[in-house]
Amino acid sequence: ALHMTASSYLTPGQVSATFGLTKRQLRDWRAKGHGPPYYKPNAKTILYKQRDVAAWIDSSLVRTSQKAVTNL
């Protein structure tokens, strides 16, 4: 059984508002094969799962060294 709800999916506009990414960034990334994974159920609809976008952002973590932090 499918347990996803409509609220589990976000439009590019909702991703933009929720995660601070522009719709243009999302479109450019899709065209280049970058960015978070997405669904395209028809020619005019793009949808993202909120957890996929969050996981994609989480995967971009950059760790700073303690030395760099103390030199601020």
Side-chain angles (χ1 to χ4, degrees):
L2 189 63
H3 295 289
M4 297 305 300
T5 63
S7 64
S8 298
Y9 294 93
L10 301 174
T11 65
Q14 290 169 316
V15 171
S16 174
T18 303
F19 294 97
L21 304 166
T22 68
K23 290 190 285 186
R24 171 171 275 203
Q25 280 177 308
L26 292 168
R27 184 186 66 224
D28 290 348
W29 288 337
R30 287 193 307 269
K32 295 174 182 175
H34 301 298
Y38 64 94
Y39 297 84
K40 192 169 182 177
N42 61 51
K44 294 189 175 189
T45 302
I46 300 291
L47 296 171
Y48 296 88
K49 284 187 183 174
Q50 185 167 349
R51 69 174 182 231
D52 289 345
V53 179
W56 176 78
I57 291 171
D58 287 345
S59 73
S60 67
L61 176 65
V62 176
R63 295 193 184 277
T64 58
S65 69
Q66 190 60 37
K67 183 177 180 181
V69 173
T70 58
N71 288 338
L72 294 176

